[in-house]
Amino acid sequence: MHSYSSLIRHEGNRELFTFVELAAIGIIADIPIHLHVEGLRGTGKTTILRAARHILPKISRIKDCLFNCNPQFPHCPRHKVLTKDELGTVVVEQIPVPFLEISHSAKIGTIAGSLDLARLTDTEQPEAAMLPGTLPRSHRGIVLVDEVNRLADTAPELTDILLDAMGTKPGRVQMEEAGLPTVALPLSISVWATSNPDEDPGSLMDIRKQLSDRFDFMVQMERSVEAEALVSILNLDHKPEHLRGKIPAADLELGKYLVQKASRVGAVKIPTTIVRSLAQIYIKHHLESLRSLEAIKTGAILNAARWNRPEVGWNDVLTVTPAALRHRLSPEQLVAVLQDLKQERDLVNSRAVVACADCDQNEPGSADRHRQQKQSGGIWSRIVAWCQRVLGRRRDRYPAAAKRKEASAGGNKLAGIGRRPQLKPENPLEMPLVAPPEVARPLLSLAREGAITEGELIDDPTRAGKAIRTTVGNEADEG
Ligand SMILES: [Zn+2]
């Protein structure tokens, strides 16, 4: 495995690096962040996520506690009963942030917990006790689920446990074994997952929408199309981890930088105007899940802390919104929401000159990254590119449906109602939004002329286009 700092950043993976670092700030500040990365096979999703453990600082726990009890707030059955004086005498140790993986051969017992057979068969002092599984042992750390869409498809019972663990913050896990009392524990874990929606069984959203919604952010990962980036990737040191030595200084330095940013999180304010606007957008665009608003709010606070802003601004909101909503809305809805948010931001910008949004000269490697970001045209070009990809992919996947849709749009065009705006590849945010001319009414309440338009297509010399010569009523609709 590579060190985090040595990994090559390019246009296709830049968003993932941003969200991994925001999630790291969150985890250091005790805010678990659930991250889902979608992308094609071989784009390096899992490599980046696995390498990210090196930038997280160590945590202190009560020595040898498999549940990673915080010495100040113990939660496991053995330590939560200790008095304040007893806690003062426990031995504390520093451990790397727990980073465990759930494999596809996992069972409920290995994830939640099972009977501790070693203790049961101890010849000196046999006792029946629970052995914590992957989730309780990841408390205060990260659980990685590779190909989460396949897991959701083949192991719904494991998905149910994940739903429980990710439902609230902190979540919970229940360890059950016949003959032993059930143990329920609070759980503060960040679930990071990857999937490839273009391979079987398809997108997590389609397989288990409930689980997809549990993720705060869904990041899109693409292949590199920059030759320079590819050359750098090929030139990377591919020695196995055990031959490469210790965590490099650059990762440790970035870790320290993120700790400093995390210390600001608690002090970041979010203006009431922004909260109100988000609430209005929630209602206007019929967002299904309140989690989406919470994700935008938390992400914006983390982003503001990262760039040393005492208060959340619209740029923070706009940075995190695509990843907070793309697994909860259709691409068209997302564009409409972003358009509204952008209008809000422009309104504020027209009142005050805003300094360069995401620029911190003190961040390790920031100069390069900032230059690359400027060259890439920033977040808007990425959103536009993503919309085009998703719309294109849907067309590829369901060509017949896309054709039907296009045909029906063409039909509407002829009748002059509900014309679909043309998608300009340069910037979908500048697409004209065309509302239906009138409020919809039941068919039966319409007069005959309003319900049916009959006519023939003719050339209209006055309008340089086609028009319909109607036989009902006396109007000619523009075509
Ligand atoms: Zn404990």
Side-chain angles (χ1 to χ4, degrees):
M1 178 173 315
H2 299 284
S3 74
Y4 182 82
S5 308
S6 71
L7 295 171
I8 307 299
R9 293 168 191 240
H10 54 78
E11 194 46 45
N13 67 16
R14 194 155 289 126
E15 189 185 31
L16 178 55
F17 278 102
T18 300
F19 277 89
V20 161
E21 283 157 35
L22 290 183
I25 294 174
I27 292 167
I28 299 167
D30 280 333
I31 305 170
I33 300 291
H34 305 309
L35 206 59
H36 177 198
V37 192
E38 262 197 356
L40 295 174
R41 183 172 20 91
T43 42
K45 312 179 282 289
T46 318
T47 306
I48 295 175
L49 294 180
R50 283 190 181 134
R53 75 173 91 165
H54 299 314
I55 60 170
L56 287 161
K58 289 185 171 180
I59 59 166
S60 50
R61 74 166 181 190
I62 296 180
K63 192 168 187 325
D64 296 332
C65 177
L66 289 180
F67 298 88
N68 303 325
C69 267
N70 184 330
Q72 271 146 18
F73 313 103
H75 71 292
C76 84
R78 191 172 147 211
H79 294 123
K80 74 176 178 188
V81 292
L82 295 183
T83 63
K84 215 176 169 189
D85 290 343
E86 285 169 330
L87 273 178
T89 60
V90 295
V91 182
V92 173
E93 65 180 342
Q94 299 281 314
I95 58 158
V97 162
F99 189 100
L100 281 84
E101 298 194 24
I102 292 181
S103 76
H104 287 248
S105 56
K107 303 277 177 290
I108 292 178
T110 56
I111 289 190
S114 57
L115 191 63
D116 189 339
L117 291 175
R119 278 166 77 179
L120 190 68
T121 53
D122 187 341
T123 47
E124 306 253 306
Q125 196 187 350
E127 59 177 341
M130 294 297 283
L131 181 70
T134 309
L135 291 179
R137 282 189 292 123
S138 309
H139 183 62
R140 302 168 67 202
I142 297 161
V143 170
L144 179 65
V145 189
D146 210 8
E147 298 190 57
V148 68
N149 53 341
R150 278 213 298 130
L151 188 85
D153 191 44
T154 55
E157 71 285 0
L158 301 186
T159 311
D160 290 340
I161 297 180
L162 277 179
L163 285 174
D164 221 13
M166 299 164 75
T168 48
K169 291 183 184 178
R172 67 193 284 282
V173 62
Q174 193 159 304
M175 306 195 301
E176 292 173 64
E177 193 68 69
L180 286 178
T182 299
V183 182
L185 291 165
L187 196 62
S188 180
I189 52 163
S190 298
V191 177
W192 291 3
T194 69
S195 70
N196 177 359
D198 287 336
E199 282 179 2
D200 269 350
S203 154
L204 180 63
M205 243 185 298
D206 299 333
I207 298 161
R208 197 79 188 259
K209 198 175 176 190
Q210 215 182 352
L211 182 62
S212 171
D213 183 53
R214 292 283 204 268
F215 287 95
D216 297 300
F217 302 109
M218 206 266 265
V219 174
Q220 205 83 32
M221 174 99 174
E222 298 293 333
R223 284 203 178 101
S224 167
V225 287
E226 301 157 30
E228 273 310 304
L230 288 169
V231 170
S232 309
I233 291 169
L234 291 173
N235 283 338
L236 266 183
D237 177 8
H238 287 287
K239 259 189 274 174
E241 187 178 23
H242 65 279
L243 296 179
R244 223 180 287 127
K246 287 185 198 161
I247 298 171
D251 277 13
L252 296 174
E253 208 180 312
L254 181 58
K256 279 184 202 155
Y257 172 84
L258 295 175
V259 169
Q260 193 198 332
K261 302 297 165 191
S263 66
R264 296 169 176 269
V265 170
V268 173
K269 302 268 182 295
I270 179 157
T272 323
T273 46
I274 289 186
V275 178
R276 280 188 181 282
S277 300
L278 290 177
Q280 273 161 11
I281 279 167
Y282 177 82
I283 295 165
K284 180 181 166 187
H285 294 277
H286 309 289
L287 304 189
E288 267 181 39
S289 162
L290 257 182
R291 284 197 179 88
S292 56
L293 282 192
E294 280 159 12
I296 294 175
K297 189 185 153 197
T298 309
I301 288 174
L302 294 176
N303 199 58
R306 183 190 165 147
W307 302 112
N308 303 330
R309 287 189 272 273
E311 193 176 88
V312 166
W314 279 108
N315 280 324
D316 300 311
V317 174
L318 284 163
T319 300
V320 299
T321 300
L325 295 186
R326 64 163 64 99
H327 52 309
R328 295 169 162 131
L329 297 178
S330 69
E332 294 86 350
Q333 281 176 304
L334 178 59
V335 169
V337 169
L338 291 172
Q339 197 164 25
D340 280 359
L341 291 175
K342 193 171 168 255
Q343 271 172 8
E344 297 278 354
R345 183 195 63 175
D346 292 347
L347 204 68
V348 176
N349 283 3
S350 67
R351 293 191 202 123
V353 179
V354 174
C356 178
D358 292 337
C359 195
D360 182 0
Q361 305 300 333
N362 299 324
E363 182 189 354
S366 79
D368 277 355
R369 235 163 281 158
H370 187 62
R371 180 171 41 77
Q372 289 169 341
Q373 194 134 342
K374 288 241 151 167
Q375 281 169 354
S376 73
I379 188 163
W380 295 108
S381 64
R382 294 206 296 279
I383 294 163
V384 172
W386 173 77
C387 278
Q388 284 164 357
R389 279 196 305 275
V390 171
L391 289 171
R393 193 158 66 206
R394 285 192 182 175
R395 261 194 286 275
D396 292 346
R397 227 187 274 171
Y398 312 108
K403 260 191 183 163
R404 272 201 304 278
K405 221 172 171 185
E406 270 160 26
S408 74
N412 284 347
K413 201 170 175 181
L414 271 183
I417 49 167
R419 230 176 312 152
R420 276 165 67 92
Q422 286 296 304
L423 187 65
K424 284 185 191 168
E426 311 85 48
N427 188 356
L429 299 171
E430 283 165 14
M431 288 191 307
L433 284 183
V434 182
E438 287 173 19
V439 178
R441 280 183 290 152
L443 198 62
L444 290 176
S445 72
L446 293 175
R448 182 170 162 258
E449 300 84 64
I452 305 166
T453 303
E454 295 167 16
E456 57 178 313
L457 198 62
I458 55 161
D459 286 324
D460 185 349
T462 61
R463 302 188 189 186
K466 297 279 183 191
I468 293 175
R469 181 188 291 139
T470 52
T471 51
V472 177
N474 249 343
E475 292 171 18
D477 290 328
E478 189 183 353

